[in-house]
Amino acid sequence: MDGFVLRGLRLSIFLYALLHFINYYLQINVISTIHAGIGLVMLVLAATYLTLHRFKLPLFLLTGGVVILVLTGGFNVGNMRNGLLQMSDIIGLLAVVPMIGWVLRQEPYIEELIGLAHKLLDSSRKFYFVMVLFTHMLSYFLLFGVIPLMYQFVSNILQHQRGEAWEYFKGSALLRGFALSTMWIISIPSFAFAVDALNAPLWKAILQGFFVAAAALMMAVLFSYFEEKRYGIDFTSEINTEIAAVLERSSDKRVQLRMAIEFTFLFITLFGTIFLLYEMLAVKLMLLIPFVIIVWASMYFFVKRKPKNMLTEMKDYYVNGLSSKAYQFSVLTSAGVIIFAMNQSGIGETLINGIYSFQEVVPFFNMLYFLPFIVIILGFMGLGPLTVMVLVAGILESISLPYSPELIVLAVTSGSAISILLSPLIMPVIILSGTNGLSAFKNGLKFNYKYAIALYVMVQCYIQWMVS
């Protein structure tokens, strides 16, 4: 029975994602109905596979959406179909994004880059900066999978360094590097969804988020300096000893340079293609990114003459990868039902009007102060950045706000970054805790609360200056 459910779950996830891309062009009503039906089957199979205990959030969201539709007189087949399809674009994106990781696993890019840049690592500040920067860049390819990968890599360099001070040094850099990526990196699903849902100009949202993230990165290095003083440990001398040992077993400079050039080329071609095509073509960002990733990854394996490797990755992903996404896709599909129901009922409009009424009483207060806290609070309730963005941006897209869309994107993505830094209940912190053995509370709230406050203040200073 379990084998039947697992096979059915894999197939339903695959077909749900595939039909999204097919029907975007065909727009055939019958296919839309089949697509929604497969979404419902996926939910039923996921509930069976995950058991009720792990299916509580999707069940709560789905039930909430149905109840709202019933109470507002909108419960019918058409609305349920639309609700089940509401999040199909983000699920299509998430189903394709792992192909980026397939490419990155083919060569030791990270190891060779570090070997090439060892002269930039001769002090604790430089080493911390490179850790944050590499995590930030690799988030583009690996999403939060970059955290365990970079942790293992850094731990291989700092083999003999143990204790809370060193775990702060490594863990805070990795978590901050990933958190800041949610503010501008286009392959991060929560950012891409926010830009698409709020109809923000892509180049403005990216440029704005990039400069804010760059300032926040430098602020992270500054905070690490004060923490090093507090711990009273000379990180620099220990780091230099460990790096000297690493260099003895590294590749020659020509190999390192080739890997660095190749990695840079991969980054530019993926990012640049998405950006250029989005500016040139009238295509939704959530549809464009998956198509570019598929072509880009296929071209890589073709040029490298590794088609067998690609087939192996595809088989492994279908057998093992799709079923691992059952919970995430169930949450998103169920969230689509409640978002559609709330948009149909006008609840979101009522909430925003209430905030506007409060703003009349307190003139200096505006919506953009409040938006990050909605995301942060939901993060502490265990909702991941993408789920929160789907709920918040999904409601905001149906409401007219008197602010430029790129500022709204920055407000909600800053909340997303802060929730990643602090919440012990969401995946990045949980993964880090599972990797370094410290509690999620210590990795998140204890190590990062001061930095998170400073990040909120910095972003709000910029936002309020722009709206004044």
Side-chain angles (χ1 to χ4, degrees), residues 396-416:
L396 292 177
E397 70 176 324
S398 65
I399 300 166
S400 178
L401 295 174
Y403 311 110
S404 61
E406 63 271 15
L407 285 180
I408 300 173
V409 168
L410 181 60
V412 294
T413 54
S414 68
S416 180

Side-chain angles (χ1 to χ4, degrees), residues 157-208:
I157 297 175
L158 306 176
Q159 291 183 24
H160 305 99
Q161 310 309 322
R162 299 288 186 269
E164 182 178 306
W166 284 101
E167 293 307 330
Y168 163 82
F169 185 74
K170 294 183 284 186
S172 65
L174 304 187
L175 205 56
R176 291 169 188 180
F178 174 72
L180 295 176
S181 71
T182 62
M183 301 177 73
W184 74 277
I185 289 182
I186 194 62
S187 61
I188 300 291
S190 57
F191 176 79
F193 182 83
V195 171
D196 199 47
L198 298 171
N199 200 28
L202 180 60
W203 72 270
K204 284 186 180 180
I206 289 176
L207 197 64
Q208 177 178 253

Side-chain angles (χ1 to χ4, degrees), residues 5-134:
V5 171
L6 185 58
R7 287 194 296 272
L9 183 59
R10 287 183 199 133
L11 182 61
S12 62
I13 292 174
F14 174 75
L15 291 176
Y16 187 87
L18 180 64
L19 285 177
H20 164 67
F21 297 118
I22 292 173
N23 207 38
Y24 177 82
Y25 292 104
L26 300 180
Q27 295 293 314
I28 297 174
N29 196 49
V30 174
I31 295 180
S32 295
T33 303
I34 295 171
H35 190 188
I38 290 173
L40 187 60
V41 170
M42 180 177 69
L43 287 176
V44 172
L45 291 173
T48 307
Y49 176 69
L50 297 169
T51 72
L52 187 60
H53 176 71
R54 294 179 59 201
F55 199 73
K56 287 184 289 188
L57 179 58
L59 184 61
F60 171 77
L61 294 171
L62 183 63
T63 304
V66 171
V67 169
I68 291 171
L69 287 174
V70 170
L71 293 177
T72 56
F75 184 68
N76 55 56
V77 174
N79 281 344
M80 278 301 296
R81 183 187 70 177
N82 292 336
L84 289 166
L85 297 179
Q86 181 84 7
M87 291 296 110
S88 60
D89 52 358
I90 191 71
I91 290 175
L93 171 63
L94 288 171
V96 171
V97 160
M99 291 183 73
I100 299 174
W102 303 356
V103 169
L104 212 58
R105 285 196 290 266
Q106 301 305 308
E107 301 284 357
Y109 294 112
I110 305 165
E111 292 87 342
E112 301 299 356
L113 281 167
I114 292 290
L116 187 66
H118 69 273
K119 291 183 180 179
L120 300 176
L121 307 174
D122 59 1
S123 75
S124 59
R125 299 285 65 72
K126 291 178 182 178
F127 195 94
Y128 193 90
F129 173 80
V130 170
M131 277 198 296
V132 178
L133 183 63
F134 267 62

Side-chain angles (χ1 to χ4, degrees), residues 82 98 133 139 147 215 270-271 331 360 383 389 446 462:
N82 292 336
L133 183 63
S139 299
I147 293 173
L270 182 57
F271 179 84
V331 169
E360 291 175 4
L383 301 186
M389 200 62 68
K446 182 179 178 181
Y462 170 76

